[in-house]
Amino acid sequence: MTAKKKLSKLDQALVNEIVTGVIRWQLKLDFILDKILSRGLKHTDPQLVNILRIGTYQILFMNKIPDYAILNETVNLTKYLAYKKYATSLVNSVLRELLRNPELNKAPDREKNLLDYLSIQYSHPKSLVKHWLRIFSEEETEKLLEKNNERAKITFRINNLLASNEEIKQYLDENKIDYSLNKYYENIFVINKSSVSLEENPLFKEGKITVQDASAVIATKLIAPNENSFVIDMCASPGGKTCHLADMMQNKGKILANDISKQRTDLIVENINRLKVKNTEISISNALNINEDIKADYILLDAPCTGSGIIRKLPEIKYLNREKTLKKTVEIQRKLLEKATKLLKENGVIIYSTCSIEPAENMENVMWFLKNFPQFSLEKADNYVNSFFCKNDCVQIFTHIHDCNGAFAARLKHNT
Ligand SMILES: C[S@@+](CC[C@H](N)C(=O)[O-])C[C@H]1O[C@@H](n2cnc3c(N)ncnc32)[C@H](O)[C@@H]1O
């Protein structure tokens, strides 16, 4: 932490780029290194492997840094190792070999083994690629893998409680900030240059804008509460959707924003203070324990999930043991869905959402719910959200189609 504090903003950005990049491309980097190292990757000290990954990543993906600087800096990292002399000469020879021989960067032959090719070319675990090839076509899977490796642009939502869309546009134009408007929603903006940091921007500090992915904004739009509604947000931290709801309700009605984590609920407090949200009460508890005497008009269950829709932002997610995590996650999601039914007024609406593209967490959970709670029906999402984002009556967003995080949302209406 202390070391991080001493870094300039520029160096922090560089460290962030290298760390995220190495995680994103680890399988491809390891494939290349394994070919160069005579002992193979498995028999090389993990600390040295990490140093080699850092150097290899920069050579392959960071064109602005000259090769000699990458070589020097990577060799420098070996000075902390006990076997410095051996490590220095190994790093030198491996990186020089990589610079000499660009063929090393070639993925396995696609014709011989599609799975191996896709896994290495796009650096995603084979088990995940295999799973997606079962769900999507080959072409779609490849597009998804490719998009997952892009660096996402910064997206923000205008807090219409404090600012109009026109005011924000005028500020961005006057300050020559390059931005694009979302084609479908006028309160979603995208910053075109990744070097712009919003946290230091006065618009952000004054709460007029907030960083939020388009997929999250669109899922919240599916709720469409009335101004005087009572909404329970069962899993609310860090409060992105809570604050958007408050904006849609013009700070009227009431929102109970609950989360299991004290640390994460502190982030809701920060956000509601910055965005001047006034209609929200915060509670810290396992949502399964929320008092059932309270009944809401709308329940937002933005469930804990495997996060398979946000790999572009958090590449480490792709290395999770999917099979193991999925079973447990679906169990929790179903328990939370059942609990939601007990917190709802008659004729109320549950919005079930995830930031996953996994059918088991999305459509299959909705089917399970409708079967077990026949007093509910699935309302057509495209009555509330632009049909571009809808499939099978639900919001279904994919990074390779919609160019934002993957997400899912369903509107489940109670019928008396
Ligand atoms: C997808 S995030 C919610 C994001 C939030 N809705 C937003 O838009 O900013 C899921 C949240 O569920 C919380 N959570 C996990 N299990 C929970 C439980 N049993 N009860 C309440 N919250 C839970 C996590 O702490 C996490 O903050």
Side-chain angles (χ1 to χ4, degrees):
M1 279 310 276
T2 336
K4 193 176 169 189
K5 267 190 193 155
K6 281 183 199 152
L7 289 179
S8 68
K9 284 254 179 283
L10 218 61
D11 282 344
Q12 277 182 37
L14 180 67
V15 170
N16 189 33
E17 155 80 46
I18 293 174
V19 172
T20 315
V22 167
I23 297 172
R24 181 169 287 136
W25 287 103
Q26 190 178 318
L27 292 180
K28 187 164 202 184
L29 302 175
D30 287 2
F31 171 77
I32 295 168
L33 288 170
D34 202 42
K35 282 197 276 188
I36 306 176
L37 289 162
S38 53
R39 285 193 196 172
L41 206 66
K42 258 195 198 148
H43 302 287
T44 307
D45 174 36
Q47 271 186 303
L48 189 50
V49 169
N50 277 335
I51 292 173
L52 288 166
R53 283 172 177 154
I54 290 171
T56 308
Y57 171 71
Q58 291 178 81
I59 287 177
L60 296 181
F61 296 97
M62 296 186 72
N63 301 337
K64 283 191 189 151
I65 308 181
D67 293 339
Y68 72 87
I70 297 173
L71 234 79
N72 280 347
E73 287 306 316
T74 314
V75 164
N76 254 342
L77 292 174
T78 59
K79 70 180 173 209
Y80 301 104
L81 300 179
Y83 49 95
K84 180 178 174 300
K85 215 168 157 195
Y86 163 75
T88 303
S89 111
L90 186 83
V91 168
N92 241 315
S93 70
V94 168
L95 297 189
R96 282 181 198 282
E97 174 64 17
L98 181 65
L99 286 168
R100 252 194 315 268
N101 186 358
E103 283 287 295
L104 287 164
N105 190 12
K106 258 183 131 177
D109 189 342
R110 181 181 190 126
E111 302 308 316
K112 279 196 189 141
N113 191 328
L114 179 67
L115 192 57
D116 280 354
Y117 168 79
L118 292 174
S119 166
I120 298 301
Q121 177 68 3
Y122 300 104
S123 189
H124 279 62
K126 263 196 223 176
S127 57
L128 188 59
V129 179
K130 200 170 168 182
H131 175 63
W132 283 346
L133 281 170
R134 267 189 245 124
I135 303 177
F136 307 112
S137 66
E138 183 182 322
E139 193 191 352
E140 264 198 301
T141 304
E142 188 161 9
K143 277 190 190 150
L144 173 61
L145 296 169
E146 197 178 359
K147 271 281 176 195
N148 275 348
N149 287 334
E150 274 182 11
R151 284 176 63 194
K153 289 181 182 160
I154 299 170
T155 304
F156 67 83
R157 172 179 68 78
I158 296 173
N159 180 17
N160 289 132
L161 290 173
L162 300 180
S164 69
N165 300 346
E166 285 315 312
E167 180 187 342
I168 303 301
K169 272 188 216 160
Q170 196 182 337
Y171 174 93
L172 297 173
D173 289 338
E174 279 171 10
N175 288 278
K176 302 205 168 16
I177 297 178
D178 183 14
Y179 67 96
S180 321
L181 300 172
N182 183 286
K183 235 164 83 185
Y184 303 93
Y185 291 107
E186 54 185 15
N187 63 344
I188 308 175
F189 284 52
V190 176
I191 300 289
N192 291 329
K193 264 212 178 130
S194 58
S195 55
V196 175
S197 156
L198 280 188
E199 272 76 7
E200 297 303 321
N201 189 287
L203 293 179
F204 181 85
K205 286 187 178 164
E206 290 162 18
K208 292 181 173 175
I209 62 169
T210 195
V211 176
Q212 195 167 20
D213 190 75
S215 62
V217 180
I218 291 158
T220 314
K221 286 193 185 279
L222 185 62
I223 308 173
N226 297 316
E227 278 184 12
N228 290 313
S229 302
F230 172 37
V231 185
I232 299 180
D233 188 351
M234 291 172 73
C235 302
S237 295
K241 294 192 177 79
T242 309
C243 293
H244 185 195
L245 276 170
D247 181 346
M248 290 165 85
M249 294 159 74
Q250 305 207 357
N251 251 341
K252 296 183 187 148
K254 189 179 160 191
I255 304 171
L256 178 67
N258 175 77
D259 202 275
I260 198 167
S261 151
K262 156 80 180 91
Q263 208 185 1
R264 284 175 62 80
T265 32
D266 290 345
L267 300 173
I268 312 183
V269 177
E270 248 178 72
N271 277 322
I272 65 173
N273 286 340
R274 186 174 59 83
L275 300 172
K276 308 281 183 292
V277 165
K278 306 266 184 240
N279 63 349
T280 295
E281 188 186 307
I282 293 171
S283 97
I284 307 166
S285 76
N286 185 332
L288 296 174
N289 299 330
I290 297 177
N291 181 351
E292 289 174 15
D293 294 337
I294 318 173
K295 306 278 183 205
D297 302 296
Y298 296 88
I299 307 274
L300 169 59
L301 171 53
D302 192 25
C305 68
T306 59
S308 60
I310 54 172
I311 288 175
R312 183 163 73 159
K313 189 171 145 211
L314 300 174
E316 58 273 29
I317 288 178
K318 64 188 168 188
Y319 305 113
L320 283 177
N321 182 334
R322 202 185 56 82
E323 304 262 306
K324 212 166 124 192
T325 328
L326 189 62
K327 197 163 170 257
K328 256 189 163 169
T329 309
V330 169
E331 262 170 40
I332 296 167
Q333 289 164 342
R334 292 187 178 184
K335 278 191 189 145
L336 288 165
L337 267 167
E338 183 174 358
K339 176 72 181 185
T341 65
K342 298 180 180 152
L343 297 169
L344 193 68
K345 283 185 191 163
E346 283 193 351
N347 297 316
V349 170
I350 297 172
I351 301 293
Y352 171 71
S353 62
T354 70
C355 54
S356 174
I357 56 166
E358 179 60 57
E361 295 177 82
N362 298 339
M363 215 57 210
E364 286 173 30
N365 268 349
V366 168
M367 291 320 198
W368 168 87
F369 182 80
L370 294 173
K371 187 169 165 219
N372 285 278
F373 299 90
Q375 66 277 35
F376 282 82
S377 58
L378 178 64
E379 288 197 314
K380 281 181 177 297
D382 59 8
N383 287 338
Y384 301 88
V385 164
N386 190 291
S387 59
F388 175 58
F389 301 101
C390 301
K391 196 177 158 192
N392 298 331
D393 294 338
C394 297
V395 168
Q396 295 206 53
I397 304 180
F398 298 93
T399 302
H400 62 290
I401 299 173
H402 303 97
D403 200 18
C404 55
N405 288 341
F408 175 88
R411 197 179 153 99
L412 302 158
K413 169 101 172 70
H414 180 260
N415 308 298
T416 40

